[in-house]
Amino acid sequence: MKETVVVAIGGNSIITDNDSQSISHQLSAIKLMVKPIADIIEEGYNVVLTHGNGPQVGLELQRSEIANQHNQVPLMPLVNCVANTQGGIGYLIQQCLQNELRSRKVQRNVVTVLTQVEVDSADPSFKKPSKPIGSFFSLEEKNTLQQENPTWSFVEDSGRGYRRVVPSPTPMNIVELNTIMQLIENQNVVIAIGGGGIPVVSTIENEVSLLSGVDAVIDKDLSTELLARTLNADILLITTGVENVAVNFGKPTQKSLGEVTVNEIEEYKKEGHFPAGSMLPKIDAALSFVRSGGQRAIITLPEKLLPALRNETGTHIIS
């Protein structure tokens, strides 16, 4: 068995655009997405998968709001939307990856762990929402939605349009960590902390620590880094929409990054090259993982997993 690799798949790899939101579209995207994952499993890597759910949570919220407006169906809390999409996406990935491995005659079980992640109830993000979820909207669509939902907040997302933003507290503790570790030790391919995990807070009642859900969406990349670090994984591999991280993105002076040190990335970060809500959480996760002792963090396209692990492409952040 080669190194343990924690792979983060973005929610936008599953819903690629606003015209591809149906379950059949998502299933088609996942069937393609699992092929490079199967490649690295077949190569002998011990793989743990995480995934985003931003677009799917947005759809789940929209369904709940429409049902409430037209049929008085009770609104679904955001935390339940996170849990529902974690299970639903995990099911699709689990099934597709298992089928792909079986077609290659690779004998590995795939299992999804519905994962809670503890956050601090006093986290400042609850007062200042920042996490983009759901579809992209034009300025006109955003203004209409803002009028209809005055409590909502929006942000412009990397020139692609406007998205709703919700609280995104820092992940502190993975509740099901011991279960995940036991599954990995028994050679299972584990899908965990989908969508950053189901956000929960802990309260003490009668000297017992009890958990309860809280309305937020935890950043998937930060939770993935926490998982990779606590598992003592060798490599953190974060997928995104570009083959390499770039500085001066979209400008004539754009420069793609190959292998870079933590100090070099820190300098680029200080210069403001990485947008918040887009590339910045990935950079922060990569920096934290390598600083905590990980061999390397890699950022690249989902279809480039094996070439990236062979050091043929991607941005590699090393100590």
Side-chain angles (χ1 to χ4, degrees), residues 150-167:
T151 61
W152 286 13
S153 299
F154 290 85
V155 67
E156 198 277 328
D157 192 342
S158 304
R160 295 176 291 179
Y162 293 85
R163 297 177 78 187
R164 184 182 171 190
V165 288
V166 298

Side-chain angles (χ1 to χ4, degrees), residues 15 20-22 26 53-65 81 85 133-135:
I15 292 182
S20 305
Q21 297 182 343
S22 70
Q26 293 183 56
N53 68 347
Q56 292 86 351
V57 165
L59 288 173
E60 193 84 349
L61 282 170
Q62 190 176 7
R63 291 188 191 100
S64 175
E65 288 150 4
C81 293
T85 54
I133 62 168
S135 304

Side-chain angles (χ1 to χ4, degrees), residues 16 29 56 61 81 107 207 216 219 221 223 236 251 256 283 293:
T16 54
Q56 292 86 351
L61 282 170
C81 293
Q107 301 299 316
E207 300 183 353
D219 186 87
D221 296 312
S223 286
L236 171 61
K251 300 177 181 178
S256 294
I283 295 296

